[in-house]
Amino acid sequence: MKMLPGAAPLPPHKINGWKGYSYDQLLYRRAYVMARLELEREQLLQTIQTERQSLTPLGLLGHVGSAFKYVNWGVLAFQAFRTMGSLFGRKKK
């Protein structure tokens, strides 16, 4: 690709006098695009595989385990309000 001084590189079809890509350039560009597509496909498959592994019983157990901290905070808050209610509430006869 021809570089113009002091400017960003232009695509070949924007340069005056461009005669098109050579056969070797076309082969290179095709190989480059195919390699990029293959890498993106592998990344997508890896993401899908990771998501599927989190849906296994052991993966779900990890999600349940992380939810326990919220349950603990809820129980603690309930007990605190119940204790405060009995301290400041009406006295039973």
Side-chain angles (χ1 to χ4, degrees):
M1 187 182 326
K2 190 186 250 183
M3 293 289 293
L4 298 176
L10 292 174
H13 63 277
K14 298 277 185 180
I15 297 174
N16 292 334
W18 183 65
K19 304 287 187 212
Y21 290 115
S22 69
Y23 182 70
D24 290 335
Q25 288 174 328
L26 286 174
L27 287 178
Y28 174 78
R29 292 179 75 75
R30 181 177 182 210
Y32 177 79
V33 169
M34 295 301 287
R36 193 180 74 218
L37 287 174
E38 185 66 27
L39 285 174
E40 289 176 4
R41 184 179 299 126
E42 289 295 324
Q43 289 173 347
L44 184 60
L45 289 174
Q46 182 67 29
T47 303
I48 291 170
Q49 185 178 15
T50 303
E51 291 298 322
R52 282 186 181 167
Q53 287 175 352
S54 70
L55 294 177
T56 62
L58 290 177
L60 291 175
L61 185 62
H63 290 296
V64 170
S66 65
F68 276 136
K69 65 181 174 182
Y70 298 112
V71 172
N72 286 338
W73 280 106
V75 169
L76 183 64
F78 175 74
Q79 289 176 348
F81 282 116
R82 197 167 93 187
T83 303
M84 291 175 68
S86 66
L87 290 175
F88 298 111
R90 282 191 259 163
K91 299 194 183 217
K92 295 183 180 178
K93 292 184 180 182

